[in-house]
Amino acid sequence: MALFIAGNTPRTPHREIAEALKDPGFGRWFTDDMARADWSPEQGWHGFVLAPTGAIPMHPGLAALHYGQEIFEGLKAYRHPDSSVWLFRPGMNAARFARSATRMAMPPLPEEVFIDSVVELVAHNLAWVPEPTGGASMYLRPFMFGSETLIGVRAANAYTYIVLGMPVMPFYPDPLRLWITPNYSRSMAGGTGEAKCGGNYATALIAENQAHDMGCQQVLWLDSATRSLVEEGGTMNFFAVTADGELLTPALNGQILAGVTRDSLLALAPHHDLTPVERELTLDELLDGIASGRITETFACGTAAVISPVVGLRSPDVEITVGDGTPGATTRALREHLTGIQFGTRDDIFHWMHRVG
Ligand SMILES: Cc1ncc(COP(=O)(O)O)c(C=O)c1O
């Protein structure tokens, strides 16, 4: 039985939704409803509602504004050719959200509550799920923050969970060039790198600005201790394809986000005659491999970004083009396979899709 029940949210007329869906952008439009729940020590998780998407009253002493207890997720709902609507592996996001909460000393949301919140939000806002033209889908943004009025450093005693829904296009224009920043780090041993908390992204913004100044779209992060190991992109995991048929990605080390797309591509690899390999990847090996031709393709992947070919890397010392500087055949084949499963045009061999409506 659904926990999150719709109230009397006014509905946007269908012709206005149709107009918005012609050019959804990313985060320009929101579904009529948002899902919400609250947590207190006395009641635990309670107050499950679908309420109109809009401003929420808050005190300026809100804990999250001062001490940064905030975590989020990102997943998508896809419209299939028969018009049915499906989520991609929501259980993976639910589990990661709970792990992020634990790392940030927040009460984990039960995974079944997470799944119910996204299912009910999409089910009540199906008109906002776009036709798949151009890779359009509905992006869901579950997030949770310390909502106690609290000036004083300790874990908050009240939390709010909200899910926003929005029609979107893929986030990055293809293809990408990545910037290897010489002076900033995203994560460290014992830090919050594998949690999906807002602070990780705030930390990264200065290097992203640097990347844009250097003609790149994103950062390729290195480990903070030695600055010699490749970790991931700012909002994406990183992969290399080798000439001898390996699909290589840095092993999860507590500092890298355990991406759902990453996990899915590793599972799809054998279906493309690729051997999935998770291990340490040094920057030297990457650059030498690109220069020698041992590494033939690189790409970055994530829910918002899907799979974006990486055709160049740049640092203060190095500027290198990958392959012939155009998206590689393996990258395109993996992208076509994954998006085919998501949009219902390829067999869902792993039973990843979760029907909503
Ligand atoms: C830092 C970071 N790495 C990797 C990813 C890719 O994760 P996923 O495939 O679950 O979207 C994301 C996006 O959520 C991210 O923000």
Side-chain angles (χ1 to χ4, degrees), residues 63-342:
L65 292 181
H66 299 268
Y67 311 112
Q69 267 187 308
E70 191 272 350
I71 58 170
F72 66 95
E73 268 303 325
L75 68 163
K76 283 178 174 172
Y78 303 84
R79 192 174 286 285
H80 284 192
D82 65 357
S83 233
S84 59
V85 172
W86 302 69
L87 291 163
F88 182 69
R89 307 189 75 183
M92 293 277 286
N93 298 91
R96 189 170 67 188
F97 196 62
R99 293 198 303 273
S100 296
T102 301
R103 174 61 184 86
M104 304 303 285
M106 302 163 96
L109 185 75
E111 292 175 28
E112 61 279 12
V113 177
F114 179 102
I115 292 175
D116 189 62
S117 68
V118 288
V119 165
E120 291 305 319
L121 175 56
V122 176
H124 283 91
N125 293 270
L126 287 172
W128 283 99
V129 181
E131 293 298 325
T133 322
S137 60
M138 179 187 282
Y139 186 72
L140 296 151
R141 167 49 58 84
F143 65 107
M144 187 209 294
F145 55 93
S147 48
E148 184 187 359
T149 300
L150 172 66
I151 304 294
V153 180
R154 62 163 167 75
N157 258 332
Y159 293 88
T160 296
Y161 168 71
I162 291 177
V163 189
L164 295 172
M166 62 206 85
V168 298
M169 298 302 290
F171 199 69
Y172 292 105
D174 293 341
L176 299 179
R177 303 183 79 79
L178 301 184
W179 167 245
I180 302 163
T181 172
N183 33 16
Y184 300 110
S185 297
R186 175 186 174 277
S187 64
M188 61 192 173
T192 56
E194 70 178 344
K196 203 161 165 61
C197 61
N200 286 348
Y201 298 82
T203 293
L205 293 176
I206 191 167
E208 279 183 27
N209 289 345
Q210 225 180 29
H212 296 150
D213 290 345
M214 302 310 289
C216 299
Q217 289 73 36
Q218 256 293 344
V219 177
L220 180 63
W221 291 104
L222 304 179
D223 75 299
S224 58
T226 67
R227 304 192 81 78
S228 68
L229 300 173
V230 174
E231 292 200 325
E232 61 177 320
T235 58
M236 299 171 287
N237 292 113
F238 183 79
F239 277 88
V241 181
T242 67
D244 54 3
E246 285 182 355
L247 184 66
L248 175 60
T249 192
L252 300 178
N253 60 359
Q255 297 168 211
I256 297 175
L257 194 79
V260 178
T261 319
R262 175 188 181 281
D263 184 82
S264 308
L265 293 176
L266 289 169
L268 286 178
H271 297 264
H272 292 257
D273 292 326
L274 294 165
T275 309
V277 178
E278 299 174 79
R279 64 165 167 82
E280 277 189 356
L281 172 63
T282 66
L283 181 61
D284 284 347
E285 180 187 352
L286 175 63
L287 296 176
D288 292 349
I290 293 170
S292 71
R294 188 182 121 67
I295 290 176
T296 52
E297 301 178 33
T298 54
F299 64 83
C301 68
T303 300
V306 193
I307 297 177
S308 296
V310 173
V311 297
L313 300 173
R314 185 165 185 196
S315 75
D317 315 315
V318 180
E319 179 149 20
I320 193 162
T321 299
V322 184
D324 64 3
T326 62
T330 302
T331 304
R332 283 186 277 120
L334 287 170
R335 182 185 168 115
E336 190 278 324
H337 198 167
L338 182 66
T339 55
I341 293 172
Q342 291 168 332

